[in-house]
Amino acid sequence: MIPLDQLKESSMYQLIAEEGLKEGLKEGAAETLRLMIAKRFPELDVRDEISRISDPSVLQRLCVEMIDMPDAASLQKQLTAILKS
């Protein structure tokens, strides 16, 4: 059996850890965005659109930008543009 310290130094372990961290960031940002949308625009259901965004930084940016959006249509338009690119 490989000692844990040696295993942690392997490139495979580091790759798996990085992927896990990225997925965790994505899920956290997506959940935060969903909660913010539910609070601000409760009539808007964009869960499917949010789940299709894989970049955590895009999700975080949307959280910040949503604060200044005047209405749900503006958010929907932004999500549509992101998913097209």
Side-chain angles (χ1 to χ4, degrees):
M1 181 174 247
I2 300 173
L4 184 57
D5 291 341
Q6 285 181 333
L7 182 61
K8 286 182 178 181
E9 292 176 14
S10 75
S11 59
M12 182 59 83
Y13 180 92
Q14 291 174 6
L15 177 65
I16 292 169
E18 287 175 20
E19 287 296 315
L21 179 60
K22 182 178 178 183
E23 186 62 28
L25 288 172
K26 175 189 172 235
E27 291 303 315
E31 181 62 16
T32 299
L33 182 59
R34 281 191 289 271
L35 290 169
M36 290 176 70
I37 291 169
K39 175 75 175 173
R40 181 120 188 265
F41 306 119
E43 74 283 358
L44 186 62
D45 182 7
V46 289
R47 289 176 291 189
D48 290 339
E49 291 92 331
I50 291 171
S51 68
R52 292 173 45 204
I53 300 172
S54 61
D55 187 342
S57 65
V58 171
L59 293 165
Q60 290 172 335
R61 188 185 81 229
L62 271 172
C63 286
V64 173
E65 290 176 353
M66 194 191 77
I67 294 169
D68 295 325
M69 290 184 186
D71 52 33
S74 298
L75 177 59
Q76 184 68 60
K77 183 178 176 182
Q78 183 72 1
L79 282 168
T80 301
I82 289 169
L83 292 172
K84 283 185 180 179
S85 62

